Amino acid sequence: KFDVVVIGAGPGGYVEAIRSKKKEKKTAIVEKEFLGGVCLNVGCIPSKAMISAAHFLHRAQHDAAEMGIEISGEIKVNFPKLLSWKNSVSSKMAQGVGQLLKGNGVTVFMGEAEFTSPNEVQVKSKSGNQNIKAKNFILALGSRPIEIPGFAFDENHVLSSTGALALDKLPKRLAVIGGGYIGLEIGSYLAKLGSQIHVIEATPQLLGGLMDSEATQVVARKLKKNNIDVKLDAKALGWKLVNNSVELKYQIKDKEKTKEET
């Protein structure tokens, strides 16, 4: 029995669990996958790690000589090793969340929670089921990638953001459907690592209108400088395999077009 049970151990959940414990509430937290949630494990932190690595590569290739740093031979990217480094960054931060929860006296249950009554949940895990009662529940369920019609995720030809961050080799060409910040982050670092990137955005401007036009123009200029092809007012319609490559069909102002990707 607890005073407070938080379901979801992402940035919202684990912070609230610690806060509740500091208010002298007997507190537990339930997480079905990994401490730190999407952000620390398959979202913003791994994305920023890859952006940092891509920026480092770009500076070594283009700025080192100007600084008087001479690098002989071709600078190559060991993609599996890069992936391992990225995972280690997320893993260390997730472990830090675990230590914070433990240090603050929050009880952690790993498993999927399901309400069996207004004051009780059953936590299902590989080791068995546990029933937890509480006076108060806080739902901090986080986010997940959504699919659009005609583009069901198979994490092979059609990737979610999670799948894109777990690529074990650099794609030659990649179409990013959606010009929001997540798609642009992933597309930008892959472009700096050497991929040919095409952005297909259904609205008239990038970033979903969340930023003012002056800021969006700065982003658009940077994308152009990095040779990222951006199509606005472009609606993705579907895809098919052609000679082991993906052919993407999209529409701009009632005109259908196709683009081949690997």
Side-chain angles (χ1 to χ4, degrees), residues 125-139:
S125 67
K126 293 179 180 178
S127 59
N129 299 337
Q130 292 176 287
N131 292 327
I132 305 172
K133 293 182 178 181
K135 296 177 183 177
N136 303 282
F137 289 90
I138 297 173
L139 305 184

Side-chain angles (χ1 to χ4, degrees), residues 111-146:
E112 187 168 3
E114 181 179 339
F115 278 94
T116 56
S117 78
N119 297 105
E120 185 174 0
V121 294
Q122 185 177 75
V123 180
K124 300 176 181 179
S125 67
K126 293 179 180 178
S127 59
N129 299 337
Q130 292 176 287
N131 292 327
I132 305 172
K133 293 182 178 181
K135 296 177 183 177
N136 303 282
F137 289 90
I138 297 173
L139 305 184
L141 305 181
S143 63
R144 64 176 64 89
I146 61 168

Side-chain angles (χ1 to χ4, degrees), residues 36 52 56 88 101 118 136 147 231:
S52 177
F56 186 87
S88 73
L101 291 168
N136 303 282
E147 295 179 342
K231 296 286 190 295

Side-chain angles (χ1 to χ4, degrees), residues 76-166:
K76 297 181 179 180
V77 177
N78 183 327
F79 213 81
K81 195 168 185 179
L82 174 59
L83 181 66
S84 177
W85 171 79
K86 179 265 292 181
N87 289 340
S88 73
V89 172
S90 295
S91 178
K92 288 174 184 175
M93 295 193 74
Q95 288 171 14
V97 171
Q99 290 169 359
L100 278 172
L101 291 168
K102 183 179 179 180
N104 283 278
V106 177
T107 304
V108 177
F109 294 93
M110 296 303 295
E112 187 168 3
E114 181 179 339
F115 278 94
T116 56
S117 78
N119 297 105
E120 185 174 0
V121 294
Q122 185 177 75
V123 180
K124 300 176 181 179
S125 67
K126 293 179 180 178
S127 59
N129 299 337
Q130 292 176 287
N131 292 327
I132 305 172
K133 293 182 178 181
K135 296 177 183 177
N136 303 282
F137 289 90
I138 297 173
L139 305 184
L141 305 181
S143 63
R144 64 176 64 89
I146 61 168
E147 295 179 342
I148 60 175
F151 293 89
F153 300 135
D154 62 8
E155 305 301 7
N156 182 19
H157 300 297
V158 180
L159 306 171
S160 65
S161 56
T162 302
L165 285 165

Side-chain angles (χ1 to χ4, degrees), residues 15-125:
V15 172
E16 181 54 41
I18 291 171
R19 180 174 177 271
S20 295
K21 183 62 180 175
K22 286 184 175 179
K23 287 183 174 290
E24 299 183 353
K25 304 292 184 182
K26 187 179 180 183
T27 306
I29 193 165
V30 182
E31 171 55 48
K32 72 173 183 178
E33 199 164 2
F34 28 54
L35 297 178
V38 167
C39 179
L40 264 65
N41 294 276
V42 292
C44 38
I45 297 303
S47 179
K48 299 303 184 292
M50 294 296 279
I51 289 170
S52 177
H55 184 63
F56 186 87
L57 173 67
H58 189 266
R59 295 205 70 190
Q61 291 172 328
H62 300 281
D63 299 337
E66 186 178 342
M67 296 177 181
I69 301 170
E70 298 179 359
I71 302 173
S72 60
E74 182 184 359
I75 302 174
K76 297 181 179 180
V77 177
N78 183 327
F79 213 81
K81 195 168 185 179
L82 174 59
L83 181 66
S84 177
W85 171 79
K86 179 265 292 181
N87 289 340
S88 73
V89 172
S90 295
S91 178
K92 288 174 184 175
M93 295 193 74
Q95 288 171 14
V97 171
Q99 290 169 359
L100 278 172
L101 291 168
K102 183 179 179 180
N104 283 278
V106 177
T107 304
V108 177
F109 294 93
M110 296 303 295
E112 187 168 3
E114 181 179 339
F115 278 94
T116 56
S117 78
N119 297 105
E120 185 174 0
V121 294
Q122 185 177 75
V123 180
K124 300 176 181 179
S125 67

